Amino acid sequence: QVQLVESGGGLVQAGGSLRLSCAASGSIFSINAMGWYRQAPGKQRELVASIATDGNTHYADSVKGRFTISRDNAKNTVYLQMNSLKPEDTAVYYCEINANFQYYWGQGTQVTVSS
């Protein structure tokens, strides 16, 4: 079994920064793609950013140039550095990790950006 623990959410003013972390633990033999999604009230969950095992990254157009995804394979951890935050970035952020060729989700962390 694999467990994901997220941290780093909170309340920030527009223009501020936050860094999210998601650490995987348990019986892990391999970790492949890692990513971050978000879901705002009344909206569908959407992909924010993803990172492959070779380090290739993908970003939603709405966060390009402001967010950076990274991973620490030794710690089985994925990060999301969020800069220049906007009120429309307010959402619950979820990490998703492909471990042992199965997908696992974090519990979600609230990010609230005030104007």
Side-chain angles (χ1 to χ4, degrees), residues 1-6 22-31 34 72-78 95 97 99-100 104-107:
Q1 191 69 8
V2 176
Q3 298 82 36
L4 304 186
V5 177
E6 298 182 30
C22 175
S25 62
S27 299
I28 298 172
F29 303 103
S30 67
I31 289 187
M34 309 172 93
D72 185 333
N73 293 328
K75 296 181 179 179
N76 293 334
T77 299
V78 61
C95 62
I97 293 178
N100 305 336
Y104 296 89
W105 289 91
Q107 79 279 11

Side-chain angles (χ1 to χ4, degrees), residues 3 24 27 37 42-43 51 58 76-77 101 103 108-109 115:
Q3 298 82 36
S27 299
Y37 289 72
K43 295 188 177 181
I51 184 166
H58 170 80
N76 293 334
T77 299
F101 300 102
Y103 286 96
T109 185
S115 58

